[in-house]
Amino acid sequence: MRSSAIVLALLLLACPGIVRGQDPLESMRKTKEYRAAYKEGRAEADRELRDQRPTLYTAGLRESFFNNLDRETGLPYSGFGCVIDNEEMGTIEGHNDRIRESIKAHGIPKGSFKPWEKELFGLRAYVESRRKHEKPESLTIDGPARKAPDGSCTVRIGTKQGDTLGGGIMKYHRLEIRAEGLQPEGVAVFAPAGDTFELFWGPKGSHFAVLVRTHSGTELLEAVDLRRGGSLRTEPDSIRAWSSGGSPSKRPGGR
């Protein structure tokens, strides 16, 4: 795992002007706001580890907007945005230091997606292998929810609406993930007219699923987190195919 210092250095390059001074990192670490937040960040990490939902806190620009998963640890990223203050910096460092200490002492924590690295970083091969012996779940916009095989959650594509900057109303679609006793989480879904949706549940105990959106015969493959909500990663070749109309993600036979 990258050290906090490396992450912070990249943050400063990505978001210049966040902090001032000859040694901005050390200056931030000396403030009372940072020290208090550092302790709270460690406490947040302990709660995540206890609940088996560990993450890595990040800030600034990552390498890709379409990858929200650290391959080395199998932990999803939880972002703080670009412009952060002393308190947020303390929270990030305290949290990640505690996660790193736990991994060093006990290994990859429960709740990590590391055991399914092959599937998550090879979504195309995973989906095609599943298609050989089973049919995926079919999803329709505002249609019925589908329940996970282990009964842990349901998913459906719903329609939401919100205000636009111009004062109008905008409708959008969301993959809604609902688990008992928890607030519903969701993943934004780009859904042009005529698109179709399939869902492949991940392996037993993996707590992820793969959403396949098909537009004019070209597929976009995205792994979603069924416990925390949110996107884990989108297959790079399917992103390129969607944006260029190319063939890397065409289904066999052009279907």
Side-chain angles (χ1 to χ4, degrees), residues 23-145:
D23 194 351
L25 299 182
E26 288 308 314
S27 296
M28 295 182 82
R29 290 175 180 136
K30 291 178 180 178
T31 64
K32 63 179 182 180
E33 294 86 0
Y34 173 93
R35 292 195 296 268
Y38 184 91
K39 293 181 180 179
E40 178 55 33
R42 293 180 66 88
E44 290 178 9
D46 281 330
R47 288 193 289 270
E48 289 183 353
L49 290 167
R50 183 185 64 240
D51 296 340
Q52 299 182 16
R53 298 187 181 194
T55 65
L56 288 178
Y57 286 175
T58 64
L61 301 178
R62 293 198 304 272
E63 182 179 350
S64 172
F65 289 109
F66 299 101
N67 180 44
N68 197 41
L69 186 65
D70 179 64
R71 187 162 190 168
E72 184 177 352
T73 63
L75 301 184
Y77 297 126
S78 181
F80 275 67
C82 186
V83 180
I84 60 175
D85 56 21
N86 295 352
E87 184 175 350
E88 290 170 324
M89 186 71 80
T91 301
I92 292 169
E93 286 208 309
H95 175 277
N96 289 351
D97 283 352
R98 180 68 189 99
I99 293 291
R100 183 165 53 253
E101 290 169 8
S102 177
I103 291 176
K104 184 176 180 180
H106 308 292
I108 298 298
K110 292 182 179 179
S112 166
F113 289 101
K114 185 67 173 178
W116 298 280
E117 177 182 3
K118 179 180 178 182
E119 291 85 354
L120 286 166
F121 286 87
L123 295 178
R124 169 59 52 191
Y126 176 64
V127 165
E128 292 306 331
S129 68
R130 294 284 298 274
R131 280 196 173 120
K132 292 178 180 179
H133 56 81
E134 64 184 276
K135 290 184 178 180
E137 299 271 17
S138 178
L139 296 176
T140 56
I141 295 175
D142 296 324

